Amino acid sequence: MWAISGCNHINSTTPPVEAAPSANPSLVQPYLIQPGDILDIKFFYNPELNESVTVRPDGYISLQLVNDVKASGLQPSQLNETLTQRYAGELKKPVITVIVKTFAGQRVYVGGEVGQQGLLTMPAGLTALQAVMQSGGFKNTAQPSETLVIRKGSDSRPVPVRVDLDTMLSGGTAGRDFKLQPDDIVYVPKSAIAKANQFVNQYVEQLFLFRGISLGFTWGDVYTGNNN
């Protein structure tokens, strides 16, 4: 792994360790419900209480029998537990399932050597390669094998992972595309990134996602799509 400081360059001669991103817990963050999400609340034994609700700007939802319940900031499974407890005094068997039906404001940023840089609305299952294609594809000057996906780690610092989209394009070795998460940054460089200062300033510090965060992040693993 390489650490980037304010005036150091990346040592591109030292290959990073290849491993699946799922092996790094900081790269896989559980989804947290946010205002604007539409939730399906389903009751196994009391289907008459089933309903779809929108998370209000204050983070609450309104439900029959239990009134307002805080939903924003919780994982669906955590909200499930909360509702089960709230309905325990109202129902004989409160078996409840919470499903996020529509995600609100889910976006990713695509920059670098692509047809059109900018924010994309993120549908479920969007991958790094799909995001690039939706942004006009690769320019002739692009180096897909050096694509970076940057996302927030557990401490809100940016965690970059190099993704070999060249492998995805060729379809070789049964490569699996890299699935994106909300607020990910996909950056396609001209070549292997050697000037870290310029990259960090242009594509990390200036984006709202990491404003106010002291940079000095550590490089994650390389993702080629072949990792088990």
Side-chain angles (χ1 to χ4, degrees), residues 112-115 137-144 146 187-192:
E113 298 301 294
V114 296
F138 297 100
K139 289 184 177 180
N140 293 335
T141 52
Q143 187 167 343
E146 298 291 335
Y187 173 75
V188 181
K190 287 185 178 180
S191 60

Side-chain angles (χ1 to χ4, degrees), residues 2 4 13 18 23 38 40 65 68 88-89 92 102 110 114 133 143 151 165 168 193 199 203 214 219 223:
W2 300 299
I4 298 179
T13 61
E18 294 193 10
I38 298 178
D40 275 347
L65 303 180
D68 289 353
K92 186 175 295 185
T102 303
V110 183
V114 296
M133 293 309 174
Q143 187 167 343
R151 66 180 42 155
L165 291 186
M168 312 304 167
I193 299 172
F199 166 73
Y203 290 98
S214 176
W219 286 88
Y223 181 79

Side-chain angles (χ1 to χ4, degrees), residues 50-178:
N50 291 352
E51 58 181 316
S52 292
V53 295
T54 301
V55 182
R56 304 195 309 249
D58 62 2
Y60 284 80
I61 57 175
S62 297
L63 296 173
Q64 303 172 68
L65 303 180
V66 296
N67 298 319
D68 289 353
V69 180
K70 178 72 172 180
S72 180
L74 298 179
Q75 300 175 34
S77 60
Q78 293 173 326
L79 179 58
N80 195 344
E81 294 175 2
T82 297
L83 294 180
T84 299
Q85 294 173 2
R86 292 286 293 269
Y87 276 98
E90 306 291 339
L91 304 175
K92 186 175 295 185
K93 290 184 178 182
V95 181
I96 304 169
T97 300
V98 176
I99 302 171
V100 182
K101 183 178 180 180
T102 303
F103 299 91
Q106 303 269 339
R107 298 182 298 177
V108 296
Y109 180 86
V110 183
E113 298 301 294
V114 296
Q116 183 174 0
Q117 301 185 73
L119 289 166
L120 291 178
T121 300
M122 180 184 173
L126 183 69
T127 67
L129 184 57
Q130 290 170 345
V132 170
M133 293 309 174
Q134 289 186 27
S135 300
F138 297 100
K139 289 184 177 180
N140 293 335
T141 52
Q143 187 167 343
S145 62
E146 298 291 335
T147 300
L148 294 179
V149 174
I150 303 119
R151 66 180 42 155
K152 281 186 178 180
S154 58
D155 58 356
S156 293
R157 289 178 178 272
V159 178
V161 177
R162 184 155 58 88
V163 180
D164 184 0
L165 291 186
D166 204 20
T167 299
M168 312 304 167
L169 283 169
S170 65
T173 60
R176 292 175 290 110
D177 200 353
F178 189 96

Side-chain angles (χ1 to χ4, degrees), residues 212-223:
I213 296 176
S214 176
L215 296 175
F217 51 78
T218 301
W219 286 88
D221 299 322
V222 177
Y223 181 79

Side-chain angles (χ1 to χ4, degrees), residues 13-66:
T13 61
T14 304
V17 177
E18 294 193 10
S22 58
N24 187 338
S26 67
L27 300 179
V28 182
Q29 300 296 320
Y31 180 75
L32 301 181
I33 297 169
Q34 60 181 304
D37 284 354
I38 298 178
L39 310 178
D40 275 347
I41 313 296
K42 296 186 178 296
F43 295 76
F44 187 78
Y45 292 108
N46 304 88
E48 68 278 6
L49 296 177
N50 291 352
E51 58 181 316
S52 292
V53 295
T54 301
V55 182
R56 304 195 309 249
D58 62 2
Y60 284 80
I61 57 175
S62 297
L63 296 173
Q64 303 172 68
L65 303 180
V66 296

